[in-house]
Amino acid sequence: MRTYEQDATTPVPPWPFTGRDEELELVRGAWAAGRHGIVVTGPAGHGKTRLIAEAVRGTDHARVTGTPEARDLPFAAFAHLLPDGVSPQRAVQILSGVRLLVVDDAHLLDEASAALVHQLAVHGRTRLVVAAVDGVPAPGAVSRLWTGELLPRLALAPLPFEDVAQLLTATGLETLTVRRLYAVCRGDLRLLRDLVTTLCVDGRLTPVAGTGERAWRGALPLTPAVRGRLAPVLERSAVAERETLERLAFAEPLPLPLDDLDLDVLERLETDGLIHVDDQGGAVALADPLHGPALRAGAGRLRARRLTRAPRDVGPDLESEQRALVGAIERLDVRAVPTPVGEWVVAEGARVPAGYAAVRARFARLRGELRDAAAWAREGLRSAPGDSGCRTELRLADGELNEGDDVYARYDSVRLGEPGRSVRELPAGSVFAQHAEALTLGDGGGLDRAAEELRERGFLLFAAEAHAQAVRAHRDPRAARRSRTRAVALARRCQGARTPVLAGLVLGELTARQRQIVTLAAAGLSNREIAERLTLSVRTVGNHLYSAYTRLGTGDRGALPWLVELPQCASA
């Protein structure tokens, strides 16, 4: 993947295609071996068009696109492919000569064009790759493509956080900013790019001392894309509903008690999916994490002053979050817990107490989120530059072993592959003790079971290490490959962590050519680019990669950097 150096006023350059390896292969295979094509659906901005463009790149294909302006004009989408006044039957005959047809924004097709696409699917000679947005009205001929089982349907999920983080960290954004952007965009990549570009152009990114990264703190930019996402709120005609939504926005980060609000208004807003009532039914908050900051950013000073509650001390709320995190750490269970107040304080550009920051850093580090851990430690040092807890966490996030005599320090010997006396010193029956016992016995299955329990409890890095240890313990090569696959998948989620155990996830017994091709694939080159560089056919490259995947125990192209480039990753 390419990276770019830029200052705070430079717009973001085009992003490379990232992730979606399985989806990409699924789309590419949809017109092979007698198959008739595929329909890709998903919310707007999730990357359907980009995925299809990558899948058909280098192929001979035609493209049509539905537009709202031409929905009333017959065959408007096909105007560049068909003569004027063509009959539907003749249109089918002409387009049957097209081997591959891409239909973008099919939900916006005029009725004649939609019927034509449907007939092409029935006819079967033209391979179709169709993109449509979920949740909006579409011509019946379009929706029947998948409901009538003419074509298989791929429902595109949001791009995972790890892939989005890979994109954004390459632009120099620090991890807390990445998480904030990911939360407010909710998978909308067009909105994400719009916000990042605006933050760069407007100079809203500030340098993070000692890192070379930049952070976003403060108000949300009110870009056209943000206003588009805010439309369900702005279009509310009832004054009481709009007032309620604004009150909820200015109450963040905490919800408002139901007793403070009109129940009839809340029922209407809940029906429309604009608010969320907690499980106990005692408090209510905005459902979309973008709406709160957008409404606050758009309010004038006087309105903001009226809607803002009296200044309150968030200290007790931060202390409550801190106690919850400490309790989870002591229970050896670091599954994600809600911490809205701490995140809100940082997003607003305020300073968090060093004690809270140190606990947040430790919690993140134990989860394998090493960049988050370092970022929280730095936030604490803003408040108290000499704080020993934050300084310690910053060192530990950079790869030093645990200090002190707690259970985590004793568990470090297990992570290093030397359980020794730890079997007796770790809490009896705990997942750490199970890991130590399986390692002592050389029990590959036991190590895999311990890894799964660690993963369930949120210890992703520790789980990756246990699976990696199982690779060596297994006598069955197939079981070893499964363990390696699981270790690599978990390690990918640990923000560049490199430990002694993970460093042993080597490439396996590959041929020189396989190693060469795998290394290039890990660097982000496509099969076609590898073929051009090595003067091979694309099919030969694909065959080598397939054989390598079989030996490595992974079919995930995105996992290859973890197998090839671990020495360049951060220690933990």
Side-chain angles (χ1 to χ4, degrees):
M1 185 172 110
R2 297 179 180 87
T3 58
Y4 304 89
E5 295 183 2
Q6 56 189 37
D7 59 33
T9 61
T10 304
V12 179
W15 286 342
F17 183 82
T18 300
R20 305 281 196 207
D21 297 314
E22 294 182 6
E23 296 94 333
L24 186 62
E25 292 306 314
L26 187 61
V27 175
R28 283 175 173 166
W31 61 82
R35 298 171 184 168
H36 300 309
I38 193 169
V39 178
V40 182
T41 66
H46 272 47
K48 300 179 295 297
T49 299
R50 183 68 185 276
L51 171 67
I52 292 173
E54 187 70 17
V56 303
R57 187 161 60 93
T59 66
D60 182 16
H61 66 277
R63 178 183 293 272
V64 299
T65 303
T67 60
E69 297 81 8
R71 294 189 74 167
D72 296 328
L73 302 176
F75 297 128
F78 289 88
H80 61 297
L81 298 177
L82 298 173
D84 293 338
V86 68
S87 68
Q89 295 80 9
R90 179 57 181 155
V92 171
Q93 293 175 351
I94 293 172
L95 292 173
S96 294
V98 176
R99 181 178 181 275
L100 178 62
L101 178 65
V102 175
V103 184
D104 201 5
D105 285 338
H107 57 288
L108 297 177
L109 289 176
D110 60 272
E111 293 292 342
S113 294
L116 177 56
V117 171
H118 189 273
Q119 285 301 308
L120 291 172
V122 172
H123 191 62
R125 292 182 182 175
T126 301
R127 282 22 179 181
L128 296 168
V129 180
V130 181
V133 171
D134 282 335
V136 298
V142 170
S143 60
R144 286 195 298 273
L145 290 174
W146 63 88
T147 58
E149 299 183 354
L150 285 171
L151 297 176
R153 178 187 183 188
L154 169 61
L156 204 61
L159 194 65
F161 172 76
E162 290 76 24
D163 292 324
V164 174
Q166 183 183 8
L167 282 173
L168 296 185
T169 53
T171 67
L173 297 182
E174 58 96 39
T175 184
L176 300 185
T177 296
V178 171
R179 288 197 178 276
R180 184 182 178 190
L181 286 165
Y182 186 79
V184 299
C185 292
R186 301 178 79 184
D188 189 335
L189 297 177
R190 286 185 297 190
L191 175 62
L192 179 69
R193 181 172 177 80
D194 176 69
L195 282 175
V196 173
T197 302
T198 301
L199 291 171
C200 291
V201 171
D202 291 355
R204 298 194 185 201
L205 298 174
T206 57
V208 180
T211 67
E213 298 176 332
R214 294 168 296 152
W216 166 39
R217 303 288 185 262
L220 179 78
L222 280 180
T223 68
V226 170
R227 292 185 182 277
R229 271 278 296 273
L230 195 59
V233 174
L234 299 177
E235 292 169 358
R236 308 302 292 193
S237 58
V239 174
E241 294 179 6
R242 177 69 177 269
E243 180 85 7
T244 297
L245 292 169
E246 288 183 328
R247 286 184 62 191
L248 292 172
F250 279 90
E252 288 183 341
L254 299 176
L256 281 179
L258 283 174
D259 296 341
D260 293 350
L261 301 165
D262 186 301
L263 186 58
D264 290 335
V265 172
L266 292 179
E267 287 178 353
R268 293 195 295 271
L269 294 175
E270 184 182 27
T271 299
D272 292 340
L274 292 174
I275 63 171
H276 169 73
V277 180
D278 67 15
D279 294 337
Q280 289 73 38
V284 60
L286 294 171
D288 191 324
L290 180 77
H291 287 171
L295 286 171
R296 293 195 298 273
R301 290 185 180 181
L302 294 178
R303 190 169 187 80
R305 181 181 299 175
R306 181 174 68 81
L307 291 170
T308 301
R309 291 189 293 176
R312 69 181 188 277
D313 180 11
V314 298
D317 298 316
L318 285 173
E319 291 171 2
S320 177
E321 289 184 358
Q322 183 174 337
R323 287 193 298 271
L325 294 172
V326 169
I329 292 171
E330 292 175 348
R331 293 191 303 272
L332 307 186
D333 191 335
V334 293
R335 279 173 278 205
V337 297
T339 51
V341 178
E343 282 140 27
W344 179 83
V345 170
V346 169
E348 291 294 306
R351 298 191 177 188
V352 293
Y356 175 90
V359 171
R360 282 297 300 265
R362 188 182 191 201
F363 190 82
R365 174 172 54 83
L366 293 174
R367 285 174 52 81
E369 297 164 348
L370 304 185
R371 295 194 188 104
D372 286 37
W376 278 108
R378 284 191 291 268
E379 286 295 324
L381 292 173
R382 288 179 61 208
S383 301
D387 183 77
S388 60
C390 289
R391 288 190 176 277
T392 296
E393 285 301 326
L394 196 56
R395 291 198 305 272
L396 293 173
D398 286 337
E400 295 187 16
L401 294 178
N402 279 290
E403 300 173 352
D405 188 32
D406 66 358
V407 62
Y408 291 97
R410 293 193 291 274
Y411 179 62
D412 272 344
S413 63
V414 180
R415 297 176 58 202
L416 291 170
E418 302 171 356
R421 294 182 302 173
S422 297
V423 176
R424 298 188 300 273
E425 295 177 346
L426 293 169
S430 70
V431 64
F432 289 177
Q434 295 171 30
H435 184 182
E437 182 178 4
L439 183 61
T440 301
L441 297 175
D443 180 359
L447 286 166
D448 282 333
R449 288 189 292 273
E452 288 303 307
E453 177 67 18
L454 287 164
R455 181 186 62 80
E456 285 289 330
R457 290 175 169 265
F459 296 108
L460 300 189
L461 179 57
F462 300 166
E465 292 172 327
H467 277 310
Q469 290 168 340
V471 173
R472 302 182 184 88
H474 281 302
R475 295 185 178 181
D476 181 354
R478 291 174 298 179
R481 285 196 294 269
R482 284 195 298 270
S483 297
R484 178 185 282 113
T485 298
R486 293 168 181 169
V488 169
L490 289 168
R492 287 189 67 201
R493 300 169 60 185
C494 293
Q495 299 183 339
R498 178 174 63 86
T499 68
V501 173
L502 293 181
L505 288 176
V506 296
L507 285 173
E509 296 181 2
L510 301 183
T511 66
R513 179 63 86 183
Q514 287 171 347
R515 182 182 294 272
Q516 186 181 31
I517 290 174
V518 164
T519 301
L520 292 173
L525 275 68
S526 68
N527 287 13
R528 184 174 299 279
E529 290 169 332
I530 295 171
E532 292 172 353
R533 178 171 296 194
L534 301 181
T535 319
L536 298 172
S537 71
V538 175
R539 176 173 294 183
T540 298
V541 170
N543 290 339
H544 278 304
L545 277 175
Y546 179 80
S547 299
Y549 286 149
T550 301
R551 295 192 181 189
L552 294 174
T554 180
D556 182 2
R557 195 185 191 99
L560 293 180
W562 292 97
L563 297 172
V564 179
E565 299 177 356
L566 278 170
Q568 300 175 14
C569 298
S571 300

